[in-house]
Amino acid sequence: MNIFKSLGFGISMGCTVFVTVNLIGYWINGDLFLQAVMSNFPQQVFGSIIVGIACILPSYIYRTERLTFLQQSACHFFIAIATFIVVAFSLKWIPTFSIKITILLLLFSVLLFVLVWLLFYLHSQAEVKKMKKKIIEHTDISNNQ
């Protein structure tokens, strides 16, 4: 995937998450949930886009062969989560009136990031298996001719 497709995907992901979270918040809390979002709507959307891009662009680290997979994953994770935390506190996505709630929401955010990463990882592994199977089939066909 080239950088422009990645940027587009990151923007799309950020906007999709933004709409989904606000739709669920609206269903649960009604108009009250949307008041904070609507008071600074452009900043909220821009923040979501920044987080989406910060989750996608660091995936280019996986092309760096001198790093282990664990190092690549850690780098990707910390860039994404650090960006999220900065944006989340700046835009008051995470309330700070209670340390317990703040910590709980931060842990939930980390868990969510890990879950998304795991889903992408499992998808990638399935794609690798498909490619290996096609290579083996192609090799078998070539050897039999």
Side-chain angles (χ1 to χ4, degrees), residues 34-99:
L34 295 179
Q35 284 177 357
V37 173
M38 295 312 293
S39 68
N40 62 351
F41 183 75
Q43 292 91 340
Q44 296 290 332
V45 172
F46 189 62
S48 296
I49 289 171
I50 289 171
V51 171
I53 291 171
C55 290
I56 298 301
L57 281 186
S59 65
Y60 281 91
I61 194 82
Y62 295 104
R63 295 180 181 182
T64 306
E65 293 180 16
R66 60 182 155 75
L67 298 175
T68 67
F69 180 70
L70 182 60
Q71 290 170 324
Q72 294 167 336
S73 298
C75 185
H76 186 189
F77 175 78
F78 285 115
I79 290 170
I81 200 73
T83 303
F84 170 77
I85 289 171
V86 168
V87 171
F89 280 115
S90 298
L91 295 175
K92 297 181 179 34
W93 293 350
I94 297 177
T96 56
F97 61 85
S98 165
I99 194 73

Side-chain angles (χ1 to χ4, degrees), residues 117-134:
W117 179 87
L118 184 62
L119 291 173
F120 274 106
Y121 175 76
L122 294 173
H123 173 72
S124 296
Q125 290 300 101
E127 291 296 311
V128 167
K129 285 181 183 178
K130 286 180 192 176
M131 286 189 273
K132 284 182 179 179
K133 184 178 177 186
K134 284 183 180 181

